[in-house]
Every structure is written in C-alpha cells, then in structure tokens.
Amino acid sequence: MANVSDPAIQDAYNNIQSDSNPQTYVILGYSNPTTLSVTAQGEGDLNEATSNFADDQCQFAYIRVTTGDEESKRAKFVLLSWIGENAKVMQKAKMSVHKASVKSVFRNISVEFQASERDELNPEKLIAHVRKAGGANYNGQSA
C-alpha cells in the first residue's frame, strides 16, 4: 500500500468534488517509493491536467469533467493512472497495488483509465468514454 496521508491530497479531493470550487484536477506523484504527494493542481481541462505527466514517472490524476447539455450539466470524476514509458520498472509494478490506496481517498470515481503513451491521453476519446459511462445522452452527443 502507498502512503496517501498528506492532508493536501484530501484537500484537493474535497475541492474538486465541490461545485463551488473552481479546482478541476490534482496530480499525485511519488515523493519516495511508497509515498504519494500532490505535484500539480489546477482549474484547467484534460489537456492541462495531463500536460503534468512526465515520461519518467508514474502518476495519478483525479479530474473533474462536466458533461451534459445546457439544461442538465453533470460532473463526472476521472481517475487516470499514468505509467510513463521511461519510469522505473519497480515503480511501474507497484502502480496497481498503490491505486487501491489512491482510491481510498478519491472515492467518487465515474471512470478509470490507465495510460502509458501520450496518444492514449486524447481528450476527445477520454470525454467520449466519460459520456458513455454517464448514461443518458439527451443532446445527441456522439460517443
């Protein structure tokens, strides 16, 4: 299990969950082999959030995505596991076990993704998966 006890992680989760807070994402990275901490956070979109991923790191992102039409906006929450191509082998191996620790803090998750290549971070494809997972589609959004 990973250490996710840094209060900044819980604070970021609470901010992203809050409809009155503009924060939309947080990135967690390893401060040592078993401890995760906040390495980036912001109010931007998927592109901004995923631009914080490093090719030599394993990281987690928790991102708020708004879907729906003008009459029915819905917040969906994405947990994205990033396994950089040049990350250390042992760090890659521990990601699946450490994800359970991350999910103990980031409890409200609509969709989970794992990516290891930049082309897997295509925002349009990720949003399409989020919409599909969201159920009703009243405005003809293509999935």
Side-chain angles (χ1 to χ4, degrees):
M1 298 306 258
N3 178 349
V4 290
S5 64
D6 180 353
I9 297 172
Q10 183 67 53
D11 290 345
Y13 173 78
N14 293 340
N15 289 342
I16 294 165
Q17 286 288 302
S18 172
D19 291 334
S20 63
N21 191 299
Q23 184 175 351
T24 55
Y25 72 88
V26 62
I27 308 296
L28 304 182
Y30 288 89
S31 54
N32 69 47
T34 59
T35 302
L36 289 161
S37 59
V38 173
T39 58
Q41 51 190 327
E43 301 173 8
D45 61 9
L46 280 166
N47 275 327
E48 180 180 316
T50 59
S51 72
N52 290 284
F53 290 152
D55 290 334
D56 64 345
Q57 298 292 315
C58 291
Q59 297 163 288
F60 295 95
Y62 187 70
I63 308 166
R64 179 187 185 108
V65 176
T66 302
T67 63
D69 56 29
E70 292 304 314
E71 295 181 23
S72 177
K73 299 269 185 212
R74 293 173 294 283
K76 300 295 178 188
F77 301 93
V78 176
L79 177 62
L80 181 52
S81 303
W82 171 252
I83 302 173
E85 291 182 63
N86 301 320
K88 295 177 182 175
V89 172
M90 286 307 294
Q91 192 177 33
K92 290 179 181 182
K94 292 179 180 178
M95 282 291 285
S96 63
V97 174
H98 290 178
K99 187 187 328 185
S101 299
V102 171
K103 290 171 78 172
S104 74
V105 179
F106 300 157
R107 295 171 305 280
N108 184 4
I109 300 168
S110 307
V111 181
E112 289 183 45
F113 296 102
Q114 179 173 306
S116 57
E117 296 180 11
R118 294 279 170 188
D119 63 349
E120 295 175 302
L121 300 174
N122 179 302
E124 290 78 25
K125 289 181 183 177
L126 293 174
I127 292 292
H129 286 291
V130 171
R131 286 183 181 141
K132 259 187 194 175
N137 184 3
Y138 297 111
N139 68 346
Q141 299 166 333
S142 60

